[in-house]
Amino acid sequence: MDIIRQAGESETAVKTAPLLSRKIAGIGLPLFSIRTGEDFGIGEFLDLIPFIDWVSDHHFQLIQFLPMVEIAPSETSPYQAWSAFAWDPIYLSMTRLVDFQESEAANRLFSSWKFQEELKRLRGSERVQYGSIRSLKDRLLELCFERFYLEEWRHDTPRARALKKFIASKPWIENYALFRLLKERNSWHDWSEWPLPYQGREHGAIEALRRDEEEALLRIKYVQWQAWEQWREVRRRARERGILLMGDLPFLVSRDSADVWSDPDSFSFNESVGAPPDAFSVEGQGWGLPLFRWTKMEEAGFPWWRLRIREAAEQFDMVRLDHVVGFFRVWVFPKDQPPHFEPPDEMEQIRRGQTLISAIIEEAGRCIPVAEDLGVIPAFVYRALERFQIAGHKILRWQKEGDAYIDPKDYPFVSLATTGTHDTSTLSAWWKEIPTKERRAFLKMLDGSERNANGKGFSSKIHRLILDRLLGAGSMLVLFPFQDVFGLSDQVNFPATVGPHNWTWRLPVQIADLRHPFYEDRAAWVRSMIDRHGRFTKPPGPPRS
C-alpha cells in the first residue's frame, strides 16, 4: 500500500524499519469481541468484512487485533498459545465454508433443534463462552472435513491440490499437527504427561503415528488451510478499502506448546519468565512461560523468530512486538533463586536486543514493526528503537514531565499515540478514577483551563476534547481502542488477575447496529476530527483488470 514507505539504509548503515508515509488514525478491537448475529458467540474471520467497511467509511485506515493463534480448550488468554503459528479454529466462519455448504450431514446437524438452541444461547451471551463455542464448531468441522476427504482429497481435485500446496508452504505445520493430535489422543493433557515415546519424540513412535493417523493429521492441516483461506478474503477486502491490518506477535509461547515440544533444546525448563515490579504489580508478575535459550537460538540465526516474522508479514501490514524489552533482557523466576534479569550485563542486553531486532527487520519486508515498550524500560531500549526507527507507544495518560502532561503535538512522528491498551482501564473509567489533582493537570494540558476538575463525570465535551487533542499528535499513527471511540467503560483484561472477566468482552451491539444514531453520531464527529487533522487520504480505487 502507498501508506507504507520502504526504509533504506541510514547514515550509520543500520537497516531501519519501514514507516508510514503519512499520518493516519486506527481503531483497535479484538476479533473475539465482534457480534454480527450470524456468529457462534464469538467474532469470526469473515465478520471483519462488514467491520472493515464501517472502519473505512469513518476514515480510520488501520485495525489492530490481539493475537489469533490457537489456545487450549480451557484457556482464554491469547498470550498463552499452543503454537506461535497456527490460527485458532474458533474464529472460522463455519457457514461460509465450502464444505459446510456442500455437506448434508453438517447442515442437518446445524439445523437441528438442539444445535440451534445452543447457538441462540451463545449468540445472546454477554461474554464469550470459549468451551461451548469450540464444542459446536468442532462437531461441524469433523463433518466438513469428512466431506472434503471423500469428495475432494481422494479424487485429487483442484481444492485438494490447493491444500497440498498450502501444506508445502508451511514449515511449522507438521510439528503442529503431530502435537495437536497427541493432545487429542491424551485427553488434552500437558505433553510432559504423555507416554514417554511421545514426550521425547522418539523417531519410531512419531513415524508410526504419521503412518497410522494420516487422515487425522490431514484434518488438522485442513482446518489451518481453511482459516488461511478466510483470512485471505479479509486481506483482500482490507486492501480494496485502503485499510491496514495490524497483528500482535506474542513475546512467548506456552511451555505446553507445539514449539516447545518439537524443539525443547531451545527453551529452558528451569526458569519461567515474567515482568518486574511496575504500575500493574508491585511484586512483579510470573507468567509461567518458558525462557528462551538465547545462545542456541542466536547461533542458529534465530530461525524460529525469522519464521514468525515472515508469517506475520504475510498476514498483516503492521505487527505489534509484544514486550519488546524482553528482546534485550528478561525477568526470570528460577526454581531455586530470587527473580533477576537475564542476561545481567547491560552491554550484553544491548547487543542481544539489537541483534534480534536486526533479524526481525530483515524478515519484515514492508510489514511495519511497532514496539510494545510499556512498563519498566531502560533508556538504552528507547535509544535502540529510535536508531532502528521502530515506533513505540505513547499512552496519553502516562506521558508526563514532572506533574505536567505532555501535549501530544510534541510526540515524535515515529510513534504510536493511543488512549490505552487492552491492559489499561478505558478512557471513561480512567477519568472517573483519577484524583482531582490529576484531572486538573490533564485539563490544563487539554485546553489551558482547570474547569470541571472536581467533577468525575466523563462528559461528551471532555471526551471530544481528548480525542481531538490526540488526533493532533505528532505521531504517524493515532490508535483508539474501540471502547474509547464511544466512551464505553468495558476493559478487555485486568492484569495480574484470572477469571471470566478477562478476554471475554463482546460488543454491546452487532456491527450493523453501529449505523444507529448513538454510535453513528459519535463516529461522525470522530471522522470529522480525523479529516481536520489531515489523517485521512482517500485510497485509490481497485486496480483495473
Side-chain angles (χ1 to χ4, degrees):
M1 286 187 175
D2 62 354
I3 296 176
I4 299 175
R5 67 175 174 84
Q6 191 67 42
E9 296 291 327
S10 72
E11 293 180 2
T12 55
V14 172
K15 186 175 179 62
T16 56
L19 296 172
L20 294 175
S21 61
R22 53 183 170 77
K23 293 181 178 181
I24 66 170
I27 190 166
L29 181 64
L31 177 54
F32 59 72
S33 297
I34 290 180
R35 290 182 190 260
T36 62
E38 299 298 320
D39 59 66
F40 276 50
I42 190 170
E44 299 171 350
F45 289 130
L46 297 185
D47 294 341
L48 286 170
I49 290 178
F51 185 61
I52 285 169
D53 291 340
W54 181 89
V55 166
S56 179
D57 290 345
H58 292 85
H59 294 184
F60 294 101
Q61 292 192 285
L62 177 140
I63 303 172
Q64 181 193 34
F65 303 100
L66 293 181
M68 293 174 282
V69 285
E70 186 172 17
I71 57 178
S74 59
E75 185 57 74
T76 60
S77 170
Y79 295 95
Q80 290 276 356
W82 259 0
S83 167
F85 304 99
W87 294 104
D88 197 322
I90 202 170
Y91 295 121
L92 278 167
S93 300
M94 297 302 305
T95 60
R96 305 280 287 278
L97 296 174
V98 170
D99 297 302
F100 171 83
Q101 295 168 356
E102 297 294 328
S103 169
E104 292 183 9
N107 275 272
R108 278 197 305 272
L109 174 61
F110 179 76
S111 301
S112 67
W113 178 85
K114 188 174 182 180
F115 195 100
Q116 285 296 312
E117 283 296 300
E118 178 69 351
L119 188 55
K120 180 180 178 181
R121 182 183 71 83
L122 294 172
R123 284 174 174 166
S125 175
E126 183 179 338
R127 294 280 178 175
V128 177
Q129 298 186 33
Y130 288 90
S132 298
I133 296 167
R134 289 190 191 281
S135 178
L136 287 190
K137 291 197 173 187
D138 286 349
R139 291 162 66 194
L140 286 179
L141 280 170
E142 288 280 356
L143 297 174
C144 289
F145 174 72
E146 182 179 288
R147 184 264 163 197
F148 172 83
Y149 187 77
L150 295 174
E151 302 297 330
E152 307 263 8
W153 187 259
R154 284 186 171 180
H155 299 284
D156 196 31
T157 66
R159 289 186 70 231
R161 292 193 291 273
L163 174 54
K164 291 176 184 176
K165 183 177 179 181
F166 171 80
I167 292 170
S169 72
K170 301 298 178 186
W172 51 268
I173 201 165
E174 183 67 24
N175 280 326
Y176 160 74
L178 289 166
F179 174 83
R180 199 184 192 290
L181 181 62
L182 284 167
K183 292 290 283 187
E184 292 178 16
R185 296 291 191 265
N186 290 278
S187 304
W188 309 106
H189 288 177
D190 189 295
W191 64 264
S192 64
E193 300 173 13
W194 297 349
L196 290 177
Y198 296 129
Q199 283 188 40
R201 291 178 56 87
E202 291 183 9
H203 179 76
I206 296 299
E207 288 306 306
L209 188 69
R210 286 194 177 103
R211 181 182 64 250
D212 298 339
E213 300 283 3
E214 181 180 356
E215 183 177 335
L217 291 168
L218 183 66
R219 170 179 50 83
I220 294 168
K221 297 170 188 177
Y222 159 86
V223 170
Q224 289 299 306
W225 172 56
Q226 291 297 281
W228 178 247
E229 289 295 299
Q230 290 194 344
W231 188 254
R232 285 179 61 188
E233 290 189 51
V234 173
R235 289 279 277 164
R236 189 180 307 117
R237 184 54 157 242
R239 288 192 175 109
E240 290 171 355
R241 297 305 306 265
I243 302 298
L244 302 177
L245 303 179
M246 181 176 176
D248 192 319
L249 197 74
F251 176 57
L252 299 159
V253 290
S254 171
R255 193 195 63 78
D256 186 26
S257 65
D259 307 71
V260 176
W261 172 71
S262 62
D263 186 17
D265 291 341
S266 291
F267 299 87
S268 171
F269 301 107
N270 294 319
E271 301 105 336
S272 65
V273 175
D278 61 13
F280 289 128
S281 175
V282 294
E283 296 181 356
Q285 299 177 48
W287 299 334
L289 299 172
L291 177 67
F292 303 124
R293 294 189 188 276
W294 284 100
T295 301
K296 184 179 186 301
M297 284 190 168
E298 183 175 359
E299 287 174 351
F302 300 110
W304 183 72
W305 278 99
R306 288 179 182 274
L307 181 57
R308 294 182 77 195
I309 296 298
R310 289 198 298 274
E311 289 281 304
E314 275 194 76
Q315 298 159 0
F316 303 106
D317 305 290
M318 300 181 72
V319 62
R320 172 185 177 272
L321 302 177
D322 177 48
H323 195 62
V324 78
V325 68
F327 294 8
F328 297 81
R329 68 184 192 187
V330 183
W331 187 252
V332 297
F333 293 82
K335 290 183 177 180
D336 54 0
Q337 298 178 41
H340 62 267
F341 284 115
E342 195 286 320
D345 178 70
E346 183 174 300
M347 292 306 297
E348 175 58 18
Q349 293 170 7
I350 295 170
R351 187 204 66 79
R352 173 185 289 183
Q354 292 187 156
T355 301
L356 181 54
I357 288 176
S358 293
I360 286 171
I361 291 174
E362 286 176 14
E363 301 297 342
R366 286 173 58 83
C367 181
I368 301 175
V370 173
E372 188 275 286
D373 56 347
L374 307 175
V376 180
I377 310 293
F380 62 75
V381 173
Y382 293 120
R383 290 195 296 270
L385 295 177
E386 182 177 2
R387 184 182 185 213
F388 287 104
Q389 293 190 24
I390 293 179
H393 282 57
K394 298 293 183 183
I395 310 291
L396 179 62
R397 69 188 74 172
W398 293 341
Q399 299 304 305
K400 301 177 73 175
E401 289 182 350
D403 293 331
Y405 284 88
I406 299 172
D407 193 322
K409 69 180 177 58
D410 295 324
Y411 297 171
F413 178 78
V414 185
S415 66
L416 182 159
T418 183
T419 50
T421 75
H422 58 270
D423 283 332
T424 67
S425 57
T426 58
L427 189 57
S428 64
W430 169 74
W431 185 257
K432 295 171 185 175
E433 69 192 22
I434 59 174
T436 301
K437 179 182 178 182
E438 285 298 306
R439 201 174 292 112
R440 185 178 292 119
F442 191 84
L443 284 168
K444 189 172 183 180
M445 178 275 292
L446 201 60
D447 66 354
S449 76
E450 298 178 12
R451 69 186 192 289
N452 298 325
N454 293 320
K456 291 188 176 183
F458 187 65
S459 69
S460 176
K461 185 170 184 178
I462 292 295
H463 187 195
R464 293 189 188 198
L465 282 171
I466 293 174
L467 299 193
D468 186 69
R469 181 53 59 94
L470 198 61
L471 283 165
S475 309
M476 64 180 184
L477 173 59
V478 168
L479 181 72
F480 296 121
F482 181 93
Q483 300 94 311
D484 289 352
V485 172
F486 299 104
L488 305 179
S489 60
D490 308 272
Q491 186 170 332
V492 172
N493 178 53
F494 294 80
T497 70
V498 177
H501 55 284
N502 287 336
W503 316 112
T504 58
W505 176 70
R506 303 186 71 200
L507 294 184
V509 297
Q510 298 175 18
I511 293 300
D513 294 329
L514 295 179
R515 306 287 181 179
H516 290 183
F518 172 84
Y519 294 96
E520 183 59 35
D521 289 350
R522 285 155 180 77
W525 50 255
V526 174
R527 178 177 58 207
S528 68
M529 287 188 282
I530 290 172
D531 292 351
R532 181 155 47 82
H533 287 289
R535 288 190 176 272
F536 175 74
T537 301
K538 186 176 180 180
R544 296 178 180 177
S545 56

